Amino acid sequence: MTTAFYRRIEGTSDFHGPEAVRYDRIMAHAAEFFGRYGYRHVQTPVFETTELFARSIGDATDIVEKEMYTFQPGSESVTLRPEGTAAVVRAFLQNHWAATGGGQKFWYAGPFFRRERPQKGRLRQFHQLGAEAMGSGDPLLDAETVYMGLTLLSELGITRTLTRLNTIGCLAPGCRPQYRERLRQALSLDMEKYCPVCQKRFHRNLLRILDCKNPKCRELASHLPKSHECLCGACEAHFAVVREALTALGVDARLDATLVRGLDYYARTVFEFTHEALGAQDALGGGGRYDGLVKEIGGPDTPAIGLALGIERMMLALETVDGCACEPPLQIFGISLGDGPRRAMVGMLARLRQAGLSADMDYEGRSFKAQMRVANKRGALFCLILGEDELGRGEIVLKDMREGAEGQISLPLGDLMGALLGALRAAPAGAAKLSCPAAEGARP
Ligand code: AMP
């Protein structure tokens, strides 16, 4: 008889071990970190109406044109969320969070879905951490948002990042519309020299020609008018404050006229963080101001700014700096032989876990030797050994796994907890060392 294995869908990932440790570390740090900046956690569904994304991200963007997972289970077309901002804005409006007062700063984390061509660092289901600040058009908040993203990365140990900054102006006639027109005129002179994707974008999404990765297009685009040189007075003043504030915060942000971000809702400040070790998919995250979006999807005129960081890319970057990421060691492994001792061990482990210790045991009826092997494999710091003889004497053996036979003592069962906590306290240095088996060469 053959066994059929189901396979993971292309572009999705399974992870555990060091990758899960990195993921957990990022998530735990983010919750505490965003709190320091006054952001509150928000959760939204993983699917929303298709119209919400089409309207906010823009019909002519890559995401809406070809990357969304859209289905129609009933009368309404729904889409797995390809990004976080539109849903947070929808939730902000629908739940009247503006009226609840206080800081209107929200952070989120979770899975997102884009039907892209899978490759290293580019998945069809990936995870993002994001933050959205609603209600303020203050350029100082733009600087805070860039600084916040960069600081989160560096607190996690992700350094060697590059911060790119640009402004794409606003929708006032003398600002982006005028810039777009200048760009269109300049491009129309030699559009045939650009790649076929850019030629298509000339009609559908002009600004994206600027961030084409094709070297020939990049060279041609470097001679095009720059958005930061074609701003209205208000956008120019806004951007000047952003840049000054970033300098004052010690952020070295490189002005990059080709940075436009792919989504329609951006206005004024846009930024991106890249990491040198990530290869072709080097963007760790980015964001920008989206002052028109809340109104666009039915709310009042509300300036806003946000950022999103890709968790898998952060995990890849962390891999290049920390080499090993180890799960916390199991503190106690219970080895028992015989029915009575096994039952007694279950109760003992329950009490140890209540006391905050991590403990596990064999549930597969293995021999003593095999249970010791499992304890070793699991990196257990201590073993508790209980056989019929020990149980009869009212004792249990505690074995320090770093020692040989001399690392073994008998403890009275009645005072197990006190004696065990004492023994663990007496062995902190060894315990700390053992917490990283990959660094030491894992034990057999
Ligand atoms: P975006 O809003 O598209 O700039 O996405 C923000 C960040 O999410 C990117 O900089 C990446 O780090 C991450 N990201 C976006 N798309 C993917 C993907 N398909 N696979 C993995 N990470 C992604």
Side-chain angles (χ1 to χ4, degrees):
M1 202 176 82
T2 54
T3 313
F5 284 106
Y6 295 102
R7 304 187 70 82
R8 201 172 57 230
I9 290 175
E10 199 191 4
T12 62
S13 67
D14 307 309
F15 54 79
H16 92 138
E19 284 177 301
V21 170
R22 290 188 190 101
Y23 179 90
D24 291 345
R25 199 195 295 165
I26 292 169
M27 296 300 282
H29 192 74
E32 182 276 327
F33 178 86
F34 284 125
R36 270 191 264 149
Y37 285 77
Y39 283 76
R40 291 173 299 163
H41 195 184
V42 58
Q43 287 271 11
T44 63
V46 294
F47 56 95
E48 301 271 352
T49 58
T50 303
E51 175 63 18
L52 172 69
F53 297 120
R55 182 105 188 228
S56 44
I57 299 169
D59 282 331
T61 57
D62 286 352
I63 292 180
V64 175
E65 266 191 347
K66 51 182 194 222
E67 294 171 1
M68 298 208 300
Y69 285 98
T70 295
F71 51 105
Q72 187 142 359
S75 58
E76 196 169 34
S77 172
V78 298
T79 292
L80 296 182
R81 60 183 185 185
E83 60 94 55
T85 305
V88 173
V89 172
R90 195 267 311 136
F92 174 73
L93 290 173
Q94 183 172 355
N95 299 295
H96 309 289
W97 286 335
T100 57
Q104 285 155 23
K105 288 172 150 183
F106 307 95
W107 76 270
Y108 59 83
F112 292 86
F113 308 86
R114 292 184 198 172
R115 203 172 159 171
E116 297 190 83
R117 193 171 46 78
Q119 64 183 96
K120 188 174 180 207
R122 195 206 262 162
L123 293 155
R124 290 181 164 178
Q125 176 178 330
F126 56 98
H127 297 79
Q128 280 186 345
L129 275 179
E132 315 291 346
M134 243 76 86
S136 168
D138 190 334
L140 295 178
L141 183 61
D142 303 29
E144 180 188 274
T145 308
V146 177
Y147 176 79
M148 179 174 79
L150 203 55
T151 307
L152 174 57
L153 292 170
S154 74
E155 284 188 9
L156 282 164
I158 304 172
T159 50
R160 295 187 296 146
T161 47
L162 175 72
T163 306
R164 294 153 68 221
L165 179 76
N166 194 18
T167 173
I168 52 171
C170 69
L171 294 179
C175 204
R176 197 176 337 148
Q178 187 173 297
Y179 170 62
R180 204 192 293 266
E181 190 46 35
R182 278 184 62 182
L183 203 56
R184 207 180 59 74
Q185 281 173 15
L187 280 163
S188 58
L189 299 177
D190 52 7
M191 201 58 234
E192 73 288 348
K193 294 186 187 147
Y194 286 79
C195 73
V197 178
C198 284
Q199 294 189 16
K200 195 171 152 221
R201 284 183 173 154
F202 182 74
H203 301 288
R204 304 269 295 149
N205 197 348
L206 194 73
L207 290 188
R208 288 291 316 275
I209 293 174
L210 295 171
D211 74 359
C212 179
K213 296 272 190 297
N214 181 316
K216 192 164 164 230
C217 298
R218 288 192 81 83
E219 156 56 22
L220 289 164
S222 67
H223 305 290
L224 291 169
K226 317 260 183 290
S227 56
H228 66 268
E229 292 164 359
C230 307
L231 298 171
C232 67
C235 284
E236 195 176 338
H238 183 100
F239 197 48
V241 177
V242 176
R243 295 187 72 188
E244 270 166 38
L246 280 172
T247 306
L249 285 167
V251 175
D252 179 18
R254 180 182 299 174
L255 180 62
D256 184 344
T258 67
L259 178 68
V260 293
R261 311 269 302 145
L263 288 55
D264 271 11
Y265 55 61
Y266 285 114
R268 291 192 161 170
T269 314
V270 287
F271 57 92
E272 206 160 85
F273 308 115
T274 53
H275 193 273
E276 61 185 28
L278 289 185
Q281 301 302 317
D282 65 350
L284 283 166
R289 201 159 254 298
Y290 51 92
D291 290 346
L293 180 61
V294 181
K295 191 164 180 203
E296 175 68 27
I297 60 177
D301 217 349
T302 309
I305 181 163
L307 70 82
L309 300 167
I311 297 182
E312 282 80 1
R313 305 249 178 111
M314 291 160 87
M315 286 160 59
L316 284 171
L318 275 175
E319 202 180 315
T320 68
V321 289
D322 65 6
C324 98
C326 300
E327 285 163 309
L330 186 68
Q331 288 168 305
I332 293 148
F333 192 81
I335 295 181
S336 49
L337 288 165
D339 227 26
R342 270 164 58 78
R343 282 161 200 263
M345 189 61 83
V346 170
M348 258 177 260
L349 295 199
R351 289 201 298 282
L352 294 173
R353 290 164 180 151
Q354 275 167 19
L357 298 172
S358 60
D360 205 354
M361 65 180 272
D362 169 59
Y363 286 103
E364 293 178 41
R366 290 184 172 91
S367 69
F368 176 77
K369 261 189 161 171
Q371 291 189 53
M372 278 303 275
R373 271 200 300 274
V374 175
N376 264 315
K377 259 198 193 142
R378 301 278 303 271
L381 301 180
F382 290 89
C383 276
L384 281 175
I385 304 169
L386 189 65
E388 301 284 4
D389 289 355
E390 284 84 8
L391 193 59
R393 288 198 303 271
E395 285 181 351
I396 190 163
V397 173
L398 174 67
K399 181 172 170 52
D400 184 332
M401 295 296 278
R402 295 155 305 141
E403 313 285 341
E406 62 276 20
Q408 210 167 286
I409 46 168
S410 283
L411 301 170
L413 265 177
D415 181 34
L416 173 63
M417 200 64 73
L420 193 54
L421 289 174
L424 278 170
R425 236 174 267 125
K433 245 210 273 156
L434 282 179
S435 70
C436 194
E440 297 188 312
R443 289 175 296 158

